[in-house]
């Protein structure tokens, strides 16, 4: 296979890493605890497995994958540092989505 693209930064891996960072950060606020833990576990397993599949496809060099993961994680923490989020992402919302589910389970 011939690939003429610029491959020093893997956008596929950066996108997957950013998705995992979002899930790890917000899953506890959105889902009930057991769903959040399961979702986090699936995402972590996926992000561990994805570099192997990307490298096996021979469309990215190893450095492309590592640079994209490293850069994405650094940008994520830099954004949290310089643009902190509220402690409650559902501020101003009547109920969190997980509260509806928990109330339904108590009946």
């Amino acid at each position: 296979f011939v690939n003429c693209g610029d491959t020093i930064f893997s956008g596929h891996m950066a996108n997957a890493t950013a998705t995992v960072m979002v899930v790890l950060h917000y899953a506890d606020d959105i889902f009930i605890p057991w769903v959040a833990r399961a979702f986090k576990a699936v995402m972590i397993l996926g992000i561990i497995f994805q570099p192997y599949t990307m490298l096996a496809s021979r469309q990215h060099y190893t450095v492309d994958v590592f640079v994209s993961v490293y850069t994405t994680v650094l940008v994520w923490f830099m954004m949290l540092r310089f643009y902190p989020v509220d402690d409650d992402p559902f501020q101003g919302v009547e109920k969190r989505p997980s509260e509806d589910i928990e109330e339904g389970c108590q009946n």
Side-chain angles (χ1 to χ4, degrees):
F1 297 108
V2 177
N3 187 355
C4 298
D6 182 13
T7 58
I8 192 58
F9 185 84
S10 170
H12 298 100
M13 197 65 202
N15 200 5
T17 305
T19 303
V20 170
M21 298 299 288
V22 168
V23 168
L24 293 178
H25 191 79
Y26 291 109
D28 291 329
D29 294 328
I30 297 172
F31 301 112
I32 57 177
W34 71 270
V35 173
R37 283 193 304 272
F39 199 45
K40 287 179 182 181
V42 168
M43 295 299 285
I44 289 171
L45 287 173
I47 201 69
I48 290 171
F49 184 67
Q50 185 164 351
Y52 297 109
T53 60
M54 291 179 66
L55 294 173
S57 71
R58 304 187 80 165
Q59 295 297 315
H60 288 284
Y61 295 111
T62 306
V63 70
D64 304 338
V65 175
F66 288 125
V67 166
S68 64
V69 170
Y70 181 77
T71 305
T72 305
V73 171
L74 283 178
V75 169
W76 174 264
F77 285 113
M78 183 184 73
M79 292 297 291
L80 286 179
R81 172 73 172 107
F82 292 114
Y83 302 103
V85 295
D86 296 332
D87 290 336
D88 185 6
F90 295 100
Q91 186 176 3
V93 177
E94 289 182 25
K95 291 184 180 179
R96 297 174 183 224
S98 60
E99 289 175 358
D100 291 335
I101 295 170
E102 291 170 0
E103 286 177 4
C105 293
Q106 292 174 358
N107 293 334

